């Protein structure tokens, strides 16, 4: 290769790296404050744009620089990972072996906490290998392209309960959750959120249906904090949980607490008056407001306004709706 050709290739490589570095530069601090915290903290970093930028970088290289292209792709992936601001951290500090009848499995304790400051409201859940495996299988159905670089710890024929294998999986599952959460579309997906909350919600609603309101409330209050963190882009999705908390407080004769959580739920339904929980929640809030000596006329006006616009239909009570959630 003559010197001119070598210089040309070197110049093209430097231009491509410069182009990638420009796109992966984090936003200034004042710009970060204007963006949602759960979003990627780098200015202009969008999923489609990432692919277009990479294609542009590759196009600038000469046909004889295929190895350089691979190096640039690896550089690009590294830059993307470093540039994301992860809002939640996942730790797996311990495990326990469960033996139940003919089955034996390992439960992994997962602690989920917020980054940036001391988190007194950390969430603690437990999941087994089969739960992770089901999550991975479900995500591949919808996000196969995004997960092409995501590895999942394989099952082994023997040694699944040795300390060495368990410790390896603890680290692998920690990295697995961190990587999934770093991908915007995956962390917002129902499948990922269900993995982190559904088992606890099923238990809570089972307690509610059985009349064990204290236990149901305890679990729901644990879950709601995590749900709020995971669904900031979709606040309406936690309305059923908020309403279940209202039902529990109401049946435990805590009207003030029931009204407090009812207000939170109503605020999320302000522009979603066709939501199935809207009217049952309004009716419950009117009853609670009257009991507490609060203004219930404004709530009554909203109810009458809705009824005037809609054809009369059968509406479940708030409690009837709650007991129907998470029935298999």
């Amino acid at each position: 290769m003559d010197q001119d050709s070598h210089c040309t290739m070197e110049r093209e490589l430097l231009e491509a790296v410069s182009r990638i570095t420009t796109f992966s530069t984090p936003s200034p601090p004042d710009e970060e404050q204007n963006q949602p915290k759960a979003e990627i903290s780098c200015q202009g970093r969008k999923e489609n744009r990432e692919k277009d930028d990479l294609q542009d970088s590759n196009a600038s290289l000469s046909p004889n620089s295929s190895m350089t292209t691979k190096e640039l792709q690896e550089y690009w992936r590294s830059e993307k990972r470093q540039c994301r601001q992860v809002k939640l951290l996942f730790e797996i500090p311990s495990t326990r072996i469960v033996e139940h009848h003919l089955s034996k499995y390992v439960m992994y304790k997962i602690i989920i906490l917020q980054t940036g400051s001391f988190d007194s409201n950390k969430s603690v859940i437990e999941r087994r290998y089969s739960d992770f495996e089901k999550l991975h299988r479900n995500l591949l159905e919808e996000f196969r392209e995004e997960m092409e670089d995501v590895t999942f710890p394989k099952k082994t024929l023997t040694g699944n309960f040795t300390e060495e294998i368990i410790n390896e999986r603890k680290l692998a599952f920690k990295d697995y959750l961190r990587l999934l959460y770093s991908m915007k579309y995956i962390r917002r997906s129902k499948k990922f959120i269900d993995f982190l909350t559904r088992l606890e919600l099923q238990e809570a609603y089972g307690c509610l249906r059985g009349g064990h309101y204290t236990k149901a409330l305890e679990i729901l209050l644990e879950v709601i904090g995590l749900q709020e963190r995971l669904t900031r882009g979709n606040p309406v999705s936690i309305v059923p949980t908020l309403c279940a908390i209202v039902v529990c407080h109401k049946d435990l004769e805590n009207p003030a607490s029931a009204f407090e959580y009812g207000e939170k739920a109503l605020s999320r339904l302000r522009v979603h008056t066709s939501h199935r929980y809207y009217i049952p929640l309004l009716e419950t809030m009117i009853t609670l407001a009257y009991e507490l000596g609060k203004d219930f006329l404004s709530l009554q006006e909203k109810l009458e306004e809705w009824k005037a616009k809609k054809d009369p239909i059968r509406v479940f009570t708030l409690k009837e709706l709650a007991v129907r959630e998470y029935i298999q």
Side-chain angles (χ1 to χ4, degrees):
M1 181 184 295
D2 57 33
Q3 185 173 1
D4 290 340
S5 299
H6 179 77
C7 292
T8 300
M9 288 181 61
E10 183 177 4
R11 183 171 60 255
E12 290 171 344
L13 174 58
L14 289 174
E15 289 174 355
V17 171
S18 175
R19 200 174 285 114
I20 292 175
T21 306
T22 300
F23 282 114
S24 57
T25 301
S27 305
D30 58 338
E31 290 182 7
E32 290 178 353
Q33 294 174 2
N34 295 329
Q35 296 180 359
K37 292 183 179 179
E39 297 294 330
I40 296 172
S41 65
C42 300
Q43 181 181 13
R45 184 168 299 283
K46 302 296 182 182
E47 297 294 329
N48 291 335
R49 185 181 296 178
E50 291 172 357
K51 295 178 181 178
D52 293 339
D53 295 339
L54 183 56
Q55 289 171 355
D56 290 343
S57 299
N58 292 342
S60 69
L61 300 173
S62 67
N64 296 324
S65 55
S66 58
M67 291 303 294
T68 301
T69 301
K70 291 180 181 180
E71 291 172 2
L72 286 172
Q73 288 173 338
E74 288 299 320
Y75 177 87
W76 177 256
R77 292 192 185 100
S78 175
E79 284 297 305
K80 285 196 295 184
R81 293 191 184 104
Q82 294 176 12
C83 205
R84 288 190 174 97
Q85 178 184 355
V86 178
K87 189 168 181 56
L88 295 181
L89 289 178
F90 299 87
E91 298 290 341
I92 304 182
S94 61
T95 62
R96 63 187 179 94
I97 296 177
V98 177
E99 295 190 55
H100 185 67
H101 297 302
L102 300 177
S103 64
K104 182 180 179 181
Y105 52 88
V106 179
M107 294 293 289
Y108 296 85
K109 181 179 180 180
I110 306 169
I111 297 179
I112 307 160
L113 61 160
Q114 188 171 330
T115 62
S117 61
F118 175 74
D119 188 2
S120 60
N121 298 315
K122 64 185 179 184
S123 300
V124 181
I125 61 176
E126 282 189 317
R127 295 295 183 266
R128 54 189 291 188
Y129 182 94
S130 60
D131 295 323
F132 281 97
E133 191 176 40
K134 181 180 178 181
L135 169 66
H136 191 71
R137 187 167 59 249
N138 289 339
L139 289 176
L140 283 175
E141 293 176 358
E142 187 175 354
F143 304 103
R144 184 166 295 276
E145 182 178 349
E146 288 85 349
M147 296 184 63
E148 61 182 359
D149 294 329
V150 179
T151 58
F152 187 81
K154 302 290 185 181
K155 271 187 176 179
T156 57
L157 295 177
T158 59
N160 285 302
F161 302 101
T162 64
E163 184 177 355
E164 181 182 2
I165 292 297
I166 291 174
N167 286 334
E168 286 179 2
R169 286 184 176 172
K170 277 169 54 178
L171 295 174
F173 284 141
K174 172 185 173 180
D175 289 340
Y176 177 74
L177 291 174
R178 176 192 59 79
L179 186 54
L180 291 183
Y181 184 77
S182 73
M183 302 178 192
K184 180 176 66 175
Y185 295 109
I186 290 180
R187 72 168 173 260
R188 290 181 175 180
S189 71
K190 186 177 184 301
K191 293 174 181 178
F192 181 67
I193 294 171
D194 277 354
F195 168 78
L196 297 171
T197 61
R198 187 176 181 86
L199 292 180
E200 286 71 25
L201 287 172
Q202 285 176 329
E203 181 184 359
Y205 279 98
C207 292
L208 192 155
R209 283 189 289 273
H212 307 295
Y213 301 113
T214 300
K215 180 61 176 177
L217 183 60
E218 178 186 337
I219 300 171
L220 289 168
L221 291 175
E222 285 283 335
V223 175
I224 191 66
L226 179 57
Q227 275 189 308
E228 287 177 329
R229 297 174 187 182
L230 292 168
T231 62
R232 290 188 176 179
N234 183 21
V236 176
S237 64
I238 67 169
V239 166
T241 306
L242 288 170
C243 289
I245 293 174
V246 172
V247 169
C248 290
H249 274 306
K250 188 172 184 296
D251 278 42
L252 290 170
E253 299 183 356
N254 300 323
S257 297
F259 191 84
E260 175 189 349
Y261 279 93
E263 285 187 315
K264 292 180 180 180
L266 270 183
S267 69
R268 288 162 170 79
L269 295 178
R270 189 174 292 113
V271 294
H272 300 279
T273 57
S274 61
H275 195 282
R276 60 196 172 96
Y277 271 89
Y278 182 68
I279 293 306
L281 179 59
L282 265 183
E283 292 175 337
T284 300
M285 290 295 285
I286 291 170
T287 301
L288 290 169
Y290 182 79
E291 183 179 349
L292 293 167
K294 295 180 178 289
D295 173 31
F296 63 89
L297 293 179
S298 59
L299 296 170
Q300 187 70 46
E301 289 174 0
K302 291 179 181 178
L303 180 60
E304 296 301 328
E305 180 183 349
W306 187 91
K307 287 182 176 180
K309 292 180 180 179
K310 304 288 184 179
D311 294 330
I313 57 174
R314 184 189 174 210
V315 177
F316 292 110
T317 66
L318 196 67
K319 188 172 183 177
E320 286 173 337
L321 276 180
V323 298
R324 283 168 168 76
E325 294 284 348
Y326 290 94
I327 293 180
Q328 296 295 331

